[in-house]
Amino acid sequence: MNFSDDFLMTCGDEPGFLNFLDKIERSAEWKNYPTNSLRVIAGEEEPEVYEKIKDTPEKEGIIKDTLANSGLFLCLDGAYYPMGMTTMKTIESRARISGSALLDVSKGKLARILNDCLDVTKGKALIRIHEGKIRAVHGGDPSDYSVLPMPELFEVVSIYVSENYDRAVFSSGMFSHSLVSASWELEEKELLDTYRGLLLQYGLKADNVLSAQIRVQTSDVGVSGANIYYSLLLGTEKKPLVLGNPLKLEHTNNASIEDFSQNIGQVFARYQEAIGDLSKLFHVYVSYPANVMASVMIKAGISKALTVQTVEQFKASHGSGVCNGYEVYCGICESIFLAQSNGMGAKALTDLEEMVSRCLTYRFHEYDIPGAILY
């Protein structure tokens, strides 16, 4: 049931993942309409709309899933479509409204609010349709939203990885209606030797099992740009060591696949630069590492519950003695592994990874304060 709003597909096979994206794209549509011509319908108030939807073998299931989620339908020039949950944020943005109160009003009232606002909104709307539902309502100008076809985007990564790395393995792919991602694990000798050499300078030894990872994430519904994340994977458990902020390409300002190709071509240089930046952490010493961890994690936006779990684990394994900044940062990165183990979802994990990378920008010594840990 690919049409379900909670549909989630994971795949460990690269050709299978790419073929799945091709299949989705072949059946998908992008359509432009004047924004003020859109009309939202609440199914609970106008049940006759069910009969106006295009007949398909999955029609009954699609309607049932829509009523259990958004409850709304969209009329586009006389054609009627169910609205997926991913549409809600984008159509509210297109109608220039927002706020948590929208979650509390009835479906009928929400439809009327949207219609009143859409009716006075100028310009075009770019509509994303696939798997039987409207999935997004974007601004129709390329400066508002630029389409970056997923099959092409991930094919660019696949070709780059195969042509530039001797040992590269597709780790996994994930597709949901809100977010799509794929990762490749790399055993790049020059890159990994740089990291091993850095640790040796400070009397440390890298894990015997060590690799690098490229993860690409994107969305057609405004959840994410075409973003590239790079990290090291440490040990047999493949615990991530985040190396810095992702390379981001937003779906705006006429962004293109060529722009994305330029970003993916910068990954190796970003890896080398980031590993060099890690060396600075070895020159930072803190006397109260648990206090430092708690303070910077909370400041970065990481939840109190996960911060407590991460800090307590660090205390159990490292004690309370003096640590350098590298040890503190490795401890913070442990939060990602813990969140994965706790079953955190893909979007939340991505947000967490960016919060962790943000910790690198803080001056650890400013939070090196004695006393009880304040979460």
Side-chain angles (χ1 to χ4, degrees), residues 14 20 88 96 134-135 144 153 182 246 262 273 298 315 317 348-349 355:
E14 183 173 4
F20 178 83
M88 299 311 299
R96 299 173 295 170
I134 303 288
R135 301 294 173 181
D144 294 326
L153 188 147
Q262 292 179 11
E273 179 182 346
I298 293 296
K315 287 167 61 180
S317 59
L349 279 171
M355 293 175 200

Side-chain angles (χ1 to χ4, degrees), residues 129-175:
I129 308 170
H130 74 256
E131 303 303 305
K133 291 186 181 183
I134 303 288
R135 301 294 173 181
V137 178
H138 299 298
D141 190 285
S143 63
D144 294 326
Y145 190 87
S146 305
V147 177
L148 298 173
M150 290 188 187
E152 293 181 38
L153 188 147
F154 284 99
E155 187 68 29
V156 165
V157 187
S158 179
I159 292 171
Y160 170 81
V161 167
S162 63
E163 290 183 348
N164 289 275
Y165 299 98
D166 294 332
R167 299 183 64 184
V169 177
F170 181 80
S171 299
S172 65
M174 184 279 294
F175 175 94

Side-chain angles (χ1 to χ4, degrees), residues 166-188:
D166 294 332
R167 299 183 64 184
V169 177
F170 181 80
S171 299
S172 65
M174 184 279 294
F175 175 94
S176 72
H177 292 304
S178 61
L179 197 65
V180 181
S181 68
S183 58
W184 285 259
E185 194 170 330
L186 318 171
E187 293 188 21
E188 171 57 44

Side-chain angles (χ1 to χ4, degrees), residues 69-311:
N69 291 288
S70 76
L72 301 178
F73 299 78
L74 193 64
C75 179
L76 305 173
D77 195 24
Y80 293 82
Y81 299 87
M83 287 171 53
M85 281 301 292
T86 57
T87 309
M88 299 311 299
K89 186 174 180 180
T90 58
I91 197 169
E92 288 170 4
S93 175
R94 189 67 195 136
R96 299 173 295 170
I97 59 175
S98 63
S100 58
L102 296 173
L103 299 173
D104 299 325
V105 300
S106 68
K107 301 298 184 183
K109 184 171 289 187
L110 177 59
R112 289 188 287 275
I113 292 171
L114 285 168
N115 287 331
D116 286 345
C117 295
L118 291 169
D119 191 50
V120 294
T121 301
K122 297 178 181 179
K124 294 275 190 175
L126 177 65
I127 313 293
R128 172 69 172 180
I129 308 170
H130 74 256
E131 303 303 305
K133 291 186 181 183
I134 303 288
R135 301 294 173 181
V137 178
H138 299 298
D141 190 285
S143 63
D144 294 326
Y145 190 87
S146 305
V147 177
L148 298 173
M150 290 188 187
E152 293 181 38
L153 188 147
F154 284 99
E155 187 68 29
V156 165
V157 187
S158 179
I159 292 171
Y160 170 81
V161 167
S162 63
E163 290 183 348
N164 289 275
Y165 299 98
D166 294 332
R167 299 183 64 184
V169 177
F170 181 80
S171 299
S172 65
M174 184 279 294
F175 175 94
S176 72
H177 292 304
S178 61
L179 197 65
V180 181
S181 68
S183 58
W184 285 259
E185 194 170 330
L186 318 171
E187 293 188 21
E188 171 57 44
K189 186 177 186 304
E190 181 181 350
L191 176 66
L192 298 179
D193 282 351
T194 300
Y195 175 69
R196 291 188 179 100
L198 171 64
L199 295 188
L200 284 174
Q201 289 181 39
Y202 298 95
L204 300 176
K205 184 179 180 181
D207 290 273
N208 291 330
V209 179
L210 178 66
S211 60
Q213 183 188 67
I214 293 175
R215 180 168 55 83
V216 175
Q217 176 177 289
T218 189
S219 169
D220 282 328
V221 300
V223 171
S224 170
N227 300 335
I228 306 165
Y229 298 80
Y230 47 99
S231 58
L232 295 176
L233 301 178
L234 311 180
T236 56
E237 295 177 307
K238 300 186 184 299
K239 294 183 178 182
L241 179 66
V242 179
L243 294 177
N245 294 323
L247 285 157
K248 290 190 172 185
L249 178 65
E250 300 298 335
H251 290 263
T252 56
N253 299 319
N254 297 290
S256 66
I257 293 294
E258 288 73 22
D259 296 326
F260 178 78
S261 297
Q262 292 179 11
N263 279 359
I264 197 70
Q266 298 177 35
V267 166
F268 184 80
R270 279 293 188 97
Y271 263 116
Q272 295 282 36
E273 179 182 346
I275 290 175
D277 287 342
L278 286 180
S279 65
K280 300 174 185 177
L281 294 177
F282 286 94
H283 300 281
V284 176
Y285 290 92
V286 295
S287 300
Y288 306 96
N291 296 47
V292 173
M293 285 179 62
S295 297
V296 299
M297 290 176 73
I298 293 296
K299 182 174 181 179
I302 299 171
S303 73
K304 178 179 176 179
L306 183 56
T307 298
V308 171
Q309 186 181 6
T310 306
V311 172

